[in-house]
Amino acid sequence: MNTIGVLTSGGDAPGMNAAIRAVVRMGRNLGLKVMGIRRGYNGLINGEISEMDRSSVADIIQRGGTILHTARCEEFKTEEGVNKAVNIIKVFGIEGLVVIGGDGSFMGARALCEKGLPSVGVPGTIDNDLAYTDYTIGFDTAINTVLDAINKLRDTSTSHERVSIVEVMGRHCGDLALYAGIAGGGESIIVPEVEFNVDDVCKTILEGKLRGKHHNIIIIAEGVGHANELSSAIKNITGLDTRVTILGHIQRGGSPTAFDRILASRLGARAVELLYDEKGSRVVGVKGNDVIDADINEALKMKKDIDHDLLKLARVLSK
Ligand code: F6P
């Protein structure tokens, strides 16, 4: 293999730049030509491709977002779109591809593998919703962003003795709510994987009040929805004043934490090594402290579940 490509796709995540840097520098280290593809699969279809050298990734390890830009590409979900991309790949002489993104991006990588282009997926999403890996790039930074918000909300929630409902990202996966909730000492954590009951939430709030608590932080994952309705229900049942804060896209930005930079560096480098060894149709990840790789089909089949023990622990510790 002489030439590889790299793209970022789907929602951005802090640490994607560190992963691009690792891909380019490891690629150059192995004597490979590295082509940067801009705007995800859109750029692949449109030929927005140029060579990257060591200096093109200087001064980016600390930056959030992705210097290659990203997109969600509907056209690439069609056979015609994939065929267009395959033609462009030939024009640019790309023989292997690193795709940095989440499950949707990995499906695109799988489609290219099926067309004969060895591709390796690097997990980049703040959702941490990929079952084959313990952590995805960007998750740790997002937890810390949420935590910073919770700390601030706790101040004002305490002053006003209000219930603060914080909606965090996570379409189908409650990991961000769970981890930020534990780290932030949230009173209730509501995730899409587990049914919740408004009465239980209110009971926790009222018991806390009896013990002299002046604040209440409820963290709810976006995938559960209805944060405003929950707020009204809590107000009606408990008589306490409530406020909703939807954190939104600030969770996707910011300088990546050391954890995410190191994870991205390790995973980006391993992805290139796999391609160099002629191993495509893989995804890379981390289990414990080990970098692992897995078959892309197997990885996509795996169903992610919430860590129920951690959720139970959060309940015990918040009382
Ligand atoms: O998948 C990452 C994610 O941030 C989800 O948590 C969120 O639901 C979604 O992307 C938002 O996507 P967009 O940036 O397209 O609005």
Side-chain angles (χ1 to χ4, degrees), residues 36-52:
I37 300 151
R38 285 179 298 283
R39 302 185 178 85
Y41 292 111
N42 278 327
L44 199 53
I45 289 172
N46 301 326
E48 295 183 66
I49 302 172
S50 52
E51 190 172 346
M52 298 182 85

mmCIF file of all heavy atoms in Angstrom, residues 36-52:
data_model
loop_
_atom_site.group_PDB
_atom_site.id
_atom_site.type_symbol
_atom_site.label_atom_id
_atom_site.label_comp_id
_atom_site.label_asym_id
_atom_site.label_seq_id
_atom_site.Cartn_x
_atom_site.Cartn_y
_atom_site.Cartn_z
ATOM 1 N N GLY A 36 -5.873 13.939 2.537
ATOM 2 C CA GLY A 36 -6.942 14.429 3.422
ATOM 3 C C GLY A 36 -8.204 14.682 2.601
ATOM 4 O O GLY A 36 -8.149 15.337 1.549
ATOM 5 N N ILE A 37 -9.306 14.117 3.044
ATOM 6 C CA ILE A 37 -10.584 14.266 2.325
ATOM 7 C C ILE A 37 -11.459 15.206 3.158
ATOM 8 O O ILE A 37 -11.729 14.920 4.335
ATOM 9 C CB ILE A 37 -11.264 12.886 2.155
ATOM 10 C CG1 ILE A 37 -10.338 11.970 1.349
ATOM 11 C CG2 ILE A 37 -12.635 13.026 1.492
ATOM 12 C CD1 ILE A 37 -10.479 10.509 1.659
ATOM 13 N N ARG A 38 -11.870 16.313 2.568
ATOM 14 C CA ARG A 38 -12.635 17.309 3.323
ATOM 15 C C ARG A 38 -14.139 17.036 3.249
ATOM 16 O O ARG A 38 -14.633 16.503 2.264
ATOM 17 C CB ARG A 38 -12.323 18.719 2.805
ATOM 18 C CG ARG A 38 -10.954 19.228 3.268
ATOM 19 C CD ARG A 38 -10.655 20.615 2.727
ATOM 20 N NE ARG A 38 -10.597 20.621 1.267
ATOM 21 C CZ ARG A 38 -9.571 20.171 0.543
ATOM 22 N NH1 ARG A 38 -8.512 19.663 1.147
ATOM 23 N NH2 ARG A 38 -9.606 20.218 -0.781
ATOM 24 N N ARG A 39 -14.826 17.424 4.322
ATOM 25 C CA ARG A 39 -16.308 17.331 4.400
ATOM 26 C C ARG A 39 -16.834 15.903 4.291
ATOM 27 O O ARG A 39 -17.815 15.627 3.610
ATOM 28 C CB ARG A 39 -16.964 18.229 3.364
ATOM 29 C CG ARG A 39 -16.538 19.674 3.535
ATOM 30 C CD ARG A 39 -17.209 20.664 2.644
ATOM 31 N NE ARG A 39 -16.705 21.997 2.993
ATOM 32 C CZ ARG A 39 -15.574 22.517 2.502
ATOM 33 N NH1 ARG A 39 -14.848 21.858 1.623
ATOM 34 N NH2 ARG A 39 -15.174 23.702 2.907
ATOM 35 N N GLY A 40 -16.152 14.989 4.924
ATOM 36 C CA GLY A 40 -16.626 13.613 5.042
ATOM 37 C C GLY A 40 -16.861 12.936 3.702
ATOM 38 O O GLY A 40 -16.146 13.162 2.724
ATOM 39 N N TYR A 41 -17.913 12.125 3.642
ATOM 40 C CA TYR A 41 -18.198 11.383 2.397
ATOM 41 C C TYR A 41 -18.621 12.318 1.262
ATOM 42 O O TYR A 41 -18.455 11.980 0.094
ATOM 43 C CB TYR A 41 -19.263 10.319 2.659
ATOM 44 C CG TYR A 41 -18.759 9.206 3.554
ATOM 45 C CD1 TYR A 41 -19.259 9.052 4.849
ATOM 46 C CD2 TYR A 41 -17.780 8.329 3.111
ATOM 47 C CE1 TYR A 41 -18.789 8.037 5.676
ATOM 48 C CE2 TYR A 41 -17.307 7.304 3.936
ATOM 49 C CZ TYR A 41 -17.817 7.172 5.211
ATOM 50 O OH TYR A 41 -17.349 6.170 6.021
ATOM 51 N N ASN A 42 -19.133 13.508 1.603
ATOM 52 C CA ASN A 42 -19.445 14.495 0.551
ATOM 53 C C ASN A 42 -18.186 14.819 -0.234
ATOM 54 O O ASN A 42 -18.198 14.891 -1.457
ATOM 55 C CB ASN A 42 -19.956 15.807 1.172
ATOM 56 C CG ASN A 42 -21.422 15.735 1.512
ATOM 57 O OD1 ASN A 42 -22.174 15.064 0.823
ATOM 58 N ND2 ASN A 42 -21.830 16.411 2.563
ATOM 59 N N GLY A 43 -17.108 15.043 0.514
ATOM 60 C CA GLY A 43 -15.829 15.406 -0.116
ATOM 61 C C GLY A 43 -15.269 14.264 -0.936
ATOM 62 O O GLY A 43 -14.560 14.482 -1.933
ATOM 63 N N LEU A 44 -15.582 13.060 -0.507
ATOM 64 C CA LEU A 44 -15.110 11.881 -1.255
ATOM 65 C C LEU A 44 -15.839 11.818 -2.606
ATOM 66 O O LEU A 44 -15.238 11.550 -3.645
ATOM 67 C CB LEU A 44 -15.402 10.626 -0.425
ATOM 68 C CG LEU A 44 -14.630 9.358 -0.780
ATOM 69 C CD1 LEU A 44 -13.131 9.615 -0.812
ATOM 70 C CD2 LEU A 44 -14.940 8.269 0.238
ATOM 71 N N ILE A 45 -17.121 12.102 -2.575
ATOM 72 C CA ILE A 45 -17.916 12.074 -3.811
ATOM 73 C C ILE A 45 -17.508 13.226 -4.746
ATOM 74 O O ILE A 45 -17.454 13.063 -5.962
ATOM 75 C CB ILE A 45 -19.432 12.146 -3.459
ATOM 76 C CG1 ILE A 45 -19.866 10.833 -2.823
ATOM 77 C CG2 ILE A 45 -20.265 12.473 -4.685
ATOM 78 C CD1 ILE A 45 -21.277 10.831 -2.265
ATOM 79 N N ASN A 46 -17.183 14.375 -4.123
ATOM 80 C CA ASN A 46 -16.882 15.568 -4.940
ATOM 81 C C ASN A 46 -15.394 15.760 -5.235
ATOM 82 O O ASN A 46 -15.005 16.756 -5.852
ATOM 83 C CB ASN A 46 -17.405 16.834 -4.239
ATOM 84 C CG ASN A 46 -18.901 16.760 -4.019
ATOM 85 O OD1 ASN A 46 -19.613 16.184 -4.835
ATOM 86 N ND2 ASN A 46 -19.380 17.308 -2.911
ATOM 87 N N GLY A 47 -14.569 14.866 -4.738
ATOM 88 C CA GLY A 47 -13.133 14.979 -5.015
ATOM 89 C C GLY A 47 -12.445 16.120 -4.278
ATOM 90 O O GLY A 47 -11.480 16.697 -4.771
ATOM 91 N N GLU A 48 -12.917 16.423 -3.057
ATOM 92 C CA GLU A 48 -12.258 17.484 -2.272
ATOM 93 C C GLU A 48 -11.097 16.862 -1.494
ATOM 94 O O GLU A 48 -11.196 16.605 -0.290
ATOM 95 C CB GLU A 48 -13.249 18.116 -1.315
ATOM 96 C CG GLU A 48 -14.368 18.860 -2.008
ATOM 97 C CD GLU A 48 -15.284 19.519 -0.991
ATOM 98 O OE1 GLU A 48 -14.852 20.436 -0.296
ATOM 99 O OE2 GLU A 48 -16.434 19.077 -0.883
ATOM 100 N N ILE A 49 -10.035 16.581 -2.212
ATOM 101 C CA ILE A 49 -8.959 15.752 -1.670
ATOM 102 C C ILE A 49 -7.604 16.395 -1.973
ATOM 103 O O ILE A 49 -7.350 16.823 -3.094
ATOM 104 C CB ILE A 49 -9.019 14.342 -2.318
ATOM 105 C CG1 ILE A 49 -10.392 13.703 -2.046
ATOM 106 C CG2 ILE A 49 -7.884 13.447 -1.816
ATOM 107 C CD1 ILE A 49 -10.643 12.405 -2.776
ATOM 108 N N SER A 50 -6.750 16.468 -0.953
ATOM 109 C CA SER A 50 -5.382 16.954 -1.221
ATOM 110 C C SER A 50 -4.413 16.285 -0.252
ATOM 111 O O SER A 50 -4.801 15.807 0.825
ATOM 112 C CB SER A 50 -5.312 18.471 -1.110
ATOM 113 O OG SER A 50 -5.848 18.877 0.122
ATOM 114 N N GLU A 51 -3.158 16.297 -0.670
ATOM 115 C CA GLU A 51 -2.143 15.582 0.125
ATOM 116 C C GLU A 51 -1.844 16.327 1.434
ATOM 117 O O GLU A 51 -1.873 17.549 1.472
ATOM 118 C CB GLU A 51 -0.855 15.449 -0.702
ATOM 119 C CG GLU A 51 0.121 14.505 -0.032
ATOM 120 C CD GLU A 51 1.325 14.173 -0.890
ATOM 121 O OE1 GLU A 51 1.311 14.448 -2.118
ATOM 122 O OE2 GLU A 51 2.290 13.638 -0.310
ATOM 123 N N MET A 52 -1.606 15.554 2.481
ATOM 124 C CA MET A 52 -1.262 16.147 3.773
ATOM 125 C C MET A 52 0.160 15.723 4.138
ATOM 126 O O MET A 52 0.527 14.569 3.927
ATOM 127 C CB MET A 52 -2.225 15.664 4.868
ATOM 128 C CG MET A 52 -3.673 16.068 4.600
ATOM 129 S SD MET A 52 -4.784 15.538 5.908
ATOM 130 C CE MET A 52 -4.628 16.894 7.078
#
